[in-house]
Amino acid sequence: MTRAPQFKPTLLASAILLLAAGQGRAQSGADAASAARPEEQTVVVLGSRSVAKTALDTSAPVGLISLKDMQTAGPLELGKLLQTLDPSFNFSSTFISDGTDSIRPATLRSLGPDQVLVLINGKRRHQQALVNVQQTIGRGSAGTDINAIPLAAIHHIEVLRDGAAAQYGSDAIAGVINIVLKSNVNETSLSGSLGTTSEGDGDLYSGSANTGFALGQDGGFLNLTLEARKRGETNRAGPDSLRVNPPRVTQHIGDSNTKDVYLWWNAALPIDKASEFYAFGGLSKRKSDSFGFFRSAGDDRTVPSVYPNGFLPAIHTDIKDASFAFGYRRDLANDWKADISINQGNSELGFHESNSLNTSYWYEPKPGGGIYAESPREADTGKLKFSQTTFNADIKGPVKFGDGSIFLATGFEYRADNYQIIAGDPVSYQYGRTNNPAIAITTPSGATAGAGIQGFPGYTPATAVDSGRHNIALFLDAEHKPVDTLTLGGAVRYEKYSDFGSTVTGKLSARFDPTKQIGFRGSLSTGFRAPSVQQEFYSSVSTNLNNGVLTETLTARQGSAVTQAFGIAPLKEETSTSGSIGTVIRPARNMSLTADLYEIKIKDRIVFSSEIAPEAGGGPIANILKPLGVGQAQFFTNAVDTRTRGLDIVAEHTSKFAASTLVLSGQLGFNKTEVTKRHSTSTVLSGEKLFDKSQVTLIEHGQPRKHHVVAADYTMGAWNLNTRANYYGEVEAENFSPLQKWDARWLVDASVRYAFSKRTFLSVGVNNMFNQLPSEWTNGGDFPKLGFTRCWETCPIGVNGRSMYIRADTAF
């Protein structure tokens, strides 16, 4: 398919959005206060520490996702829901990617998962323990496990689409997502859902309960949420004609079998009329099953007597997430407020391999002659742990200045991060029982037997680590209205890290409203992102595809013998400059249009290098890698500079009739990321070798450059009809095969909801109504022969196709 047909739907959406007056309320954009729905959230606190504003009155674009938005959208996991409702958010579907199948990468404005900051009730959320080391979106990053937060606990979500490192700290280069928890009391709500795909697999069961109790006097509360979800696996693999005869399905390409359980809370206890204690947090547990690459019967990684037809290694993940925040707020004199808090977060991911074996165990020679001819079929392959403790002490309030005042906010933050890699069972990583590389262990064909269990080799004692760092920060925010029509803002932040030094960032913002119908806004900021402790300390050995051959790949830790031999410098912070300019138009009370242009430049961006393989016939790379006994190596490095430019357009319109309300909405997201420079500190590896063309393609084209959301929400009496169409632009990849392009797609979701009362609803919905799938893999070399019929690793829409669900909600 050529580019022209793909662009026509975008032009059509643009014309409808900009020329028709009836473009409506954006599902995740600015949510105007509607008389028809007074219960909905209409103000946001993100982007400014002064008084709360409506989303249309901010100096930077802030999207607002309300409770009703979440209830009428089909997805039941937060990542997919945000992708459906907010065009700046992407949640790529991955498979055959080890732990990334269970914790999928969440991004904002097509940047990295670790370049967006997630807050809960305005407090920093900890990152995940998993590092994305496969060829997926966010390769080399450790973002936030967005699906560890249950939907039933959320009241609303604010999305700041602007650089905000000077306001909120490291990671806020692409923007900030603030998830506000429910605080209602004297009410219990129950929800249950059943769903399946049109292929009859991927069955989804979900149930939740939320309840609130009053605590003490004057507004104290305890809100509790219990949620559970079970998602069945899907498989869209085609027949494997390359490795088995007769051809049959050997791979597992689709969603993994997943179970989630959540227990979350949000509470406040007033001490007196001016102060209160507060606490919130939650426990989340997820069990997930995914799969590696099929080992054929003739592969030296299998044992014919054990697996005569080959085998598909199964990777089981056990994910635990816990967080607890506790704080004290107090109103001071002259409208000043103080807030002191401590926030503890933990992420843990354990790996277990089954339906596998260690071939070196099987073929290892016995000291007295013969071979052992046995190996466990499963083993624990190790565990990753990340913990973060954050202490904040903030104060804010107005200071008289002339005839008006300047709103100031200042504070101190201390943060400690720690990362652990725990080695797996010996059979998961050893080269034979003695783990002695001097002993020749060969398969019947004469090939050297692979070390460790097949699929996901275990973390070794050599890769195990328990280390961390801490940092302190001081910030100052100021906001002033010299005249009623002009708001000026500024922020400066100083941070000092225990391991790489200090940095200062700043931000300037302005909002000018010459009339009530039109406003202009803009911002300039600098930002930074410190290398995460995961990037500093991660190391592993994994099995990847290299020109169609399964190859052992070493991920070398910074400062290791490998990185030193290659001349790779220790990691340093990545820095950014951001700018945006936009306009807000409100021609009528029931109508608005916003448009914001932006640019984000990132210097010394921390990325995962290409797989560095030995030269044919030997050379300096081979001389470094050969003694390590691995086929190729990769490492974290500040290897590229990037530039991201984009345009966000959000329009909204509400029509009220005698007995019904129609809300039309449109959001257009245009985004383009380019790698502007590749550089290397190595004398052996050039920038182009260190970060090759396939990795550039992953950054530049792995996520859609266009993502649009148009929707209609119609309410008449007890009935509500919601229809939403998502347009995902084309994506490309060439990680394991020749360059492949997957065409743009429109996905249409629809739901019908009937209200038996003001608090009891029954909904029936269909997602991807027209069963749109990624285009077929036409230029994949051997991949289509292996069963990869459609996209892999850069799929914004996944491969499942149409799904249906029924949902019941009640409150009492």
Side-chain angles (χ1 to χ4, degrees):
M1 183 179 289
T2 63
R3 286 182 181 270
Q6 297 175 47
F7 192 56
K8 287 179 180 177
T10 301
L11 289 176
L12 177 60
S14 303
I16 293 173
L17 179 64
L18 296 176
L19 298 180
Q23 288 306 320
R25 171 182 168 276
Q27 292 293 339
S28 66
D31 191 353
S34 170
R37 282 175 290 186
E39 78 282 357
E40 288 194 8
Q41 182 76 15
T42 58
V43 298
V44 295
V45 297
L46 201 57
S48 171
R49 286 187 169 89
S50 67
V51 295
K53 301 176 175 66
T54 70
L56 289 175
D57 292 326
T58 57
S59 298
V62 180
L64 177 60
I65 298 175
S66 69
L67 186 60
K68 185 175 185 295
D69 294 331
M70 293 185 285
Q71 290 174 338
T72 55
L76 294 177
E77 56 184 63
L78 182 55
K80 279 298 180 184
L81 181 134
L82 281 170
Q83 184 186 34
T84 299
L85 298 177
D86 192 316
S88 65
F89 187 90
N90 187 48
F91 195 69
S92 182
S93 297
T94 60
F95 32 83
I96 316 181
S97 300
D98 300 338
T100 308
D101 289 4
S102 303
I103 305 180
R104 287 172 166 169
T107 67
L108 199 65
R109 285 186 161 177
S110 294
L111 294 179
D114 51 9
Q115 291 166 329
V116 55
L117 177 63
V118 178
L119 308 176
I120 304 290
N121 286 351
K123 304 296 182 181
R124 174 182 284 267
R125 172 76 174 171
H126 63 276
Q127 293 176 316
Q128 65 200 38
L130 175 73
V131 180
N132 299 309
V133 296
Q134 297 295 344
Q135 295 287 351
T136 65
I137 299 303
R139 173 176 154 83
S141 68
T144 300
D145 183 4
I146 204 77
N147 277 351
I149 306 165
L151 290 184
I154 302 172
H155 182 265
H156 68 276
I157 303 171
E158 304 166 355
V159 182
L160 172 63
R161 306 184 192 102
D162 197 34
Q167 295 170 289
Y168 299 103
S170 181
D171 309 339
I173 290 177
V176 183
I177 298 174
N178 183 34
I179 298 169
V180 180
L181 303 179
K182 292 178 180 177
S183 58
N184 53 286
V185 298
N186 300 325
E187 179 180 273
T188 297
S189 59
L190 304 175
S191 180
S193 297
L194 300 174
T196 190
T197 71
S198 57
E199 296 292 325
D201 57 2
D203 291 347
L204 183 64
Y205 308 91
S206 177
S208 67
N210 175 270
T211 189
F213 309 93
L215 290 181
Q217 304 293 324
D218 300 322
F221 67 90
L222 170 63
N223 187 274
L224 298 173
T225 300
L226 179 64
E227 183 171 310
R229 182 173 63 246
K230 183 180 186 300
R231 184 186 69 193
E233 66 182 25
T234 61
N235 192 2
R236 300 294 180 266
D240 183 340
S241 60
L242 188 66
R243 295 174 293 185
V244 294
N245 188 23
R248 59 183 172 86
V249 173
T250 60
Q251 289 295 157
H252 189 284
I253 301 174
D255 286 342
S256 59
N257 185 22
T258 303
K259 298 177 181 178
D260 293 89
V261 178
Y262 309 88
L263 174 61
W264 276 58
W265 60 87
N266 187 26
L269 179 63
I271 305 303
D272 51 41
K273 292 183 178 181
S275 63
E276 68 175 8
F277 288 111
Y278 62 88
F280 60 87
L283 304 172
S284 306
K285 183 176 177 62
R286 180 182 314 139
K287 286 185 175 293
S288 184
D289 303 328
S290 59
F291 300 88
F293 284 100
F294 176 74
R295 270 65 170 167
S296 60
D299 195 309
D300 286 312
R301 288 172 172 76
T302 189
V303 176
S305 61
V306 180
Y307 298 110
N309 296 316
F311 69 96
L312 183 66
I315 303 170
H316 312 278
T317 52
D318 188 356
I319 303 167
K320 299 175 182 178
D321 193 284
S323 62
F324 181 75
F326 177 80
Y328 173 74
R329 297 189 189 100
R330 185 170 184 83
D331 294 337
L332 306 176
N334 301 317
D335 294 326
W336 278 75
K337 299 177 184 297
D339 188 338
I340 300 174
S341 66
I342 187 166
N343 188 0
Q344 172 68 34
N346 297 278
S347 172
E348 177 183 308
L349 190 149
F351 289 99
H352 183 86
E353 189 86 10
S354 69
N355 196 46
S356 185
L357 50 68
N358 183 332
T359 54
S360 68
Y361 263 46
W362 191 275
Y363 294 116
E364 182 182 13
K366 289 182 177 181
I371 59 174
Y372 280 99
E374 61 182 17
S375 167
R377 307 296 192 269
E378 60 181 281
D380 287 334
T381 50
K383 189 174 293 185
L384 304 175
K385 291 185 175 182
F386 173 75
S387 65
Q388 184 176 87
T389 303
T390 307
F391 171 80
N392 290 96
D394 304 337
I395 187 171
K396 63 182 182 180
V399 174
K400 281 191 67 67
F401 183 77
D403 294 333
S405 61
I406 298 177
F407 195 93
L408 296 178
T410 186
F412 168 82
E413 179 178 284
Y414 170 85
R415 189 167 75 248
D417 297 339
N418 192 79
Y419 192 60
Q420 285 183 267
I421 300 177
I422 300 173
D425 294 338
V427 68
S428 73
Y429 60 81
Q430 283 183 340
Y431 178 69
R433 288 160 180 77
T434 59
N435 204 31
N436 185 355
I439 299 176
I441 304 177
T442 59
T443 67
S445 68
T448 301
I453 201 162
Q454 291 300 307
F456 185 83
Y459 297 108
T460 71
T463 60
V465 69
D466 185 354
S467 191
R469 64 135 183 263
H470 63 270
N471 70 290
I472 60 171
L474 297 169
F475 73 88
L476 175 66
D477 278 16
E479 189 172 294
H480 178 52
K481 292 179 73 71
V483 293
D484 288 342
T485 58
L486 179 64
T487 302
L488 301 175
V492 62
R493 189 180 189 94
Y494 167 81
E495 296 215 20
K496 183 177 181 180
Y497 286 77
S498 61
D499 53 355
F500 72 85
S502 60
T503 184
V504 177
T505 56
K507 181 174 183 176
L508 296 173
S509 63
R511 171 72 184 243
F512 177 55
D513 295 275
T515 71
K516 292 183 179 180
Q517 288 74 39
I518 189 169
F520 302 96
R521 60 190 180 189
S523 69
L524 291 171
S525 65
T526 60
F528 76 101
R529 193 187 70 79
S532 67
V533 291
Q534 296 94 317
Q535 292 171 326
E536 290 187 309
F537 301 120
Y538 184 81
S539 180
S540 70
V541 177
S542 59
T543 304
N544 291 325
L545 273 178
N546 183 22
N547 296 322
V549 179
L550 293 173
T551 306
E552 300 301 315
T553 302
L554 170 68
T555 298
R557 187 175 297 148
Q558 69 161 0
S560 66
V562 178
T563 57
Q564 290 181 8
F566 277 112
I568 303 299
L571 294 176
K572 60 182 179 180
E573 75 273 18
E574 55 189 34
T575 59
S576 68
T577 56
S578 302
S580 69
I581 186 170
T583 184
V584 178
I585 302 173
R586 288 177 280 196
R589 292 185 60 186
N590 64 340
M591 194 175 171
S592 68
L593 171 69
T594 68
D596 293 274
L597 281 166
Y598 63 90
E599 180 180 82
I600 306 168
K601 292 183 178 180
I602 303 175
K603 185 178 180 181
D604 297 322
R605 184 165 167 176
I606 301 170
V607 292
F608 213 26
S609 73
S610 304
E611 292 90 355
I612 308 301
E615 310 91 336
I621 297 177
N623 293 338
I624 294 173
L625 294 180
K626 187 176 180 180
L628 301 172
V630 296
Q632 52 192 12
Q634 55 195 5
F635 22 78
F636 300 95
T637 176
N638 297 88
V640 300
D641 301 341
T642 64
R643 180 181 63 210
T644 301
R645 290 174 172 169
L647 169 65
D648 292 330
I649 302 173
V650 178
E652 53 188 32
H653 183 273
T654 301
S655 300
K656 295 180 65 178
F657 306 103
S660 61
T661 301
L662 174 64
V663 180
L664 299 176
S665 67
Q667 298 173 89
L668 302 183
F670 300 90
N671 183 289
K672 182 180 181 180
T673 295
E674 296 176 290
V675 174
T676 56
K677 185 178 180 180
R678 287 180 277 178
H679 40 80
S680 172
T681 59
S682 171
T683 58
V684 179
L685 303 170
S686 66
E688 288 70 23
K689 178 71 173 178
L690 182 64
F691 199 76
D692 64 21
K693 186 174 179 292
S694 68
Q695 302 306 320
V696 172
T697 299
L698 186 63
I699 285 183
E700 293 187 337
H701 299 281
Q703 302 186 71
R705 289 184 168 183
K706 303 181 188 72
H707 182 190
H708 311 320
V709 184
V710 292
D713 187 272
Y714 181 68
T715 301
M716 183 176 66
W719 292 93
N720 174 263
L721 172 64
N722 185 280
T723 304
R724 181 180 299 103
N726 270 264
Y727 175 85
Y728 298 94
E730 66 185 31
V731 294
E732 298 178 5
E734 54 179 323
N735 298 315
F736 298 122
S737 67
L739 181 65
Q740 174 68 39
K741 182 187 300 179
W742 288 283
D743 297 330
R745 290 287 187 264
W746 277 102
L747 267 64
V748 178
D749 304 336
S751 66
V752 177
R753 185 170 73 162
Y754 180 78
F756 294 94
S757 69
K758 291 183 177 181
R759 295 187 174 187
T760 301
F761 308 92
L762 180 67
S763 305
V764 177
V766 56
N767 296 326
N768 192 0
M769 180 184 297
F770 300 106
N771 200 32
Q772 291 293 297
L773 297 171
S775 49
E776 293 186 359
W777 201 325
T778 57
N779 191 29
D782 287 336
F783 269 74
K785 301 175 186 177
L786 298 175
F788 288 79
T789 58
R790 302 189 183 272
C791 72
W792 180 36
E793 310 297 41
T794 59
C795 299
I797 68 173
V799 295
N800 289 341
R802 182 191 302 115
S803 63
M804 297 76 66
Y805 66 91
I806 183 170
R807 172 174 173 168
D809 297 273
T810 188
F812 52 88

